[in-house]
Amino acid sequence: MADDSSGASGAVWALVTLLIVLIVVGALYFGGAFSNKKSIDINVQKPNLILKV
């Protein structure tokens, strides 16, 4: 008799691998690894001394 459980076992491992990849990609995405936003802090102050000519 032929053993047909190897096909089902391969499908289960493919599903488990896909779920692991989705979890890792989701963690990277929500962790901000794929964002290109850059925060720039600009401090603009009024001059303390105005020179009158």
Side-chain angles (χ1 to χ4, degrees), residues 22-42:
L22 287 176
I23 290 170
V24 169
V25 169
L28 288 173
Y29 177 75
F30 288 112
F34 298 121
S35 67
N36 289 330
K37 284 196 258 178
K38 294 183 181 175
S39 176
I40 299 173
D41 186 21
I42 299 173

Side-chain angles (χ1 to χ4, degrees), residues 5-50:
S5 66
S6 64
S9 176
V12 170
W13 279 114
L15 182 62
V16 169
T17 304
L18 180 66
L19 287 175
I20 291 172
V21 168
L22 287 176
I23 290 170
V24 169
V25 169
L28 288 173
Y29 177 75
F30 288 112
F34 298 121
S35 67
N36 289 330
K37 284 196 258 178
K38 294 183 181 175
S39 176
I40 299 173
D41 186 21
I42 299 173
N43 188 8
V44 178
Q45 297 178 351
K46 293 181 180 179
N48 293 332
L49 178 64
I50 298 175

